[in-house]
Amino acid sequence: MAQAMKIAIVDDEQDMRQSISQWLALSGYDTETFPSAEEALKGLGQDYPGIVVSDIKMPGMDGMQFLKKLKGVDSSLPVIMITGHGDVPMAVEAMRIGAFDFLEKPFNPDRMTELAKKATLARRMTLDSRELRRELSDGGALMKKLIGASPVMERLKEDILDLGQADGHVLIEGETGTGKTLVAHALHAVGARANKKFVLISCSAYEDEALSKRLFGPADQDDPIPAIEEARGGTLVLEDIEALSETNQARLLTAINEQGTPAETRIVAICNLQDEGKTCESVLRNDLFYRLAALRMTVPPLRNRGEDILTLFTRLSEQFAEEYGCDAPEVSAQEAAQLLQAPWPGNVRQLYNVAERAVLQNRRGSGTIASLLMTEDDDSQPAMTTEGKPLKEFVEAFERMLIDNTMRRHKGSIVNVMEELCLPRRTLNEKMAKYGLQRSDYL
């Protein structure tokens, strides 16, 4: 859940600090006040979760000096400056230095709230973007996003760790929605290039001539640096590699050959071919295909991941339930079997949609998971795979999900879990060991 935005109010006049604080608090903001710029600087770090409202004229360090200091600490921190009557030229200078906006005394409180809303929204977007960039550069965090303990997922994680350390180009294949782009991010993050540039281009998002310019240049105002140069020393990810024209395939091959060995820039190609009878090898020229497929990996479809489906559904429904401020749906044994049997043509992307809609249904108190798995061709039957599975498999998958959910709800309290599931300690311990569940993961 997103952290609430704060507003730091800096003014040497106590009455002014209090009045601004009270007004913004009534508007729903978490405020803190400082009597001087010097005091405020002690509490405002680079990732301060909020914005600053500061007077310009203060004894000691004035507002302009304070603004410059703050911009040195965090150039994206929004600062709203308060000026006295006739200090508009100073306010304009503050805007030039980087102030978010300014208010002239005496100001309209509603205008203060309006600016605070805009500034906090901008700050939230900045902090979310930073957090995303950190996650995408943190190999450990990315590997945790690859949820699942099925044999195919364990193999995929091992491949990522192995190939991430290599220098060769990589070809990633797999059905749509399986998470190929996430795998590409992980490959970069766990390797020696983790601190270098990561550039991602969707080849299907451009017309042929525009794609050629974006990849190879010449540079222009819209794309000042061609991607092949922008990613130099790091990783260039090419999504939908099958969309490359013959001309651009030839230019890419030339660029790869000019790099030499080991490659200065690693290329990770993602193939999304869905047509039967067509493969990445059949649509790319042979010499380019074999250069890109020096290292090759396939992301498994969701239907082949067994119990991972229930684990993912549980995690996703909990996240959506927190986001929407309601309870996650309880999954029955029959619904667990339906989730496990569904063909999942849209893979993990489809599971995201089903989990979100299940939470929304649960909030309304209507609907079933089965109804979300209906096929477009038949509205009366849930979509099921034709592959039969032993009853024992379904029972064990449901049992594992039930224990996992209960442990999460009770934050690892064995006594509470035993009581809710009516299990003796020895039986619970045996089942947790059987399913690889550890109490320490829930504390």
Side-chain angles (χ1 to χ4, degrees), residues 14 19 25 50 56 110 134 148 173 221 329 339 342 346 354 362 413 416:
Q14 184 177 359
S19 63
I56 283 187
D110 289 329
R134 288 190 189 107
E173 298 172 289
Q221 278 190 332
L339 287 167
V354 171
N362 192 58
S413 172
N416 289 342

Side-chain angles (χ1 to χ4, degrees), residues 171-183:
L171 176 65
I172 303 176
E173 298 172 289
E175 296 178 9
T176 185
T178 50
K180 297 184 291 296
T181 301
L182 177 61
V183 170

Side-chain angles (χ1 to χ4, degrees), residues 229-241:
E229 291 297 324
E230 186 182 355
R232 186 174 295 278
T235 302
L236 173 61
V237 177
L238 299 176
E239 285 185 326
D240 305 313
I241 190 70

Side-chain angles (χ1 to χ4, degrees), residues 33 68 89 138 165 187 202 213 229 237 268 320 351 366 429:
T33 61
K68 291 175 183 177
D138 182 344
Q165 299 299 318
L187 277 171
S202 173
K213 182 179 289 186
E229 291 297 324
V237 177
V268 177
F320 284 122
L351 183 61
S366 63
N429 288 343

Side-chain angles (χ1 to χ4, degrees), residues 273 277-286 289:
L273 273 177
K278 280 190 176 181
T279 64
C280 197
E281 185 173 0
S282 68
V283 298
L284 294 180
R285 49 187 290 168
N286 284 346
F289 173 79

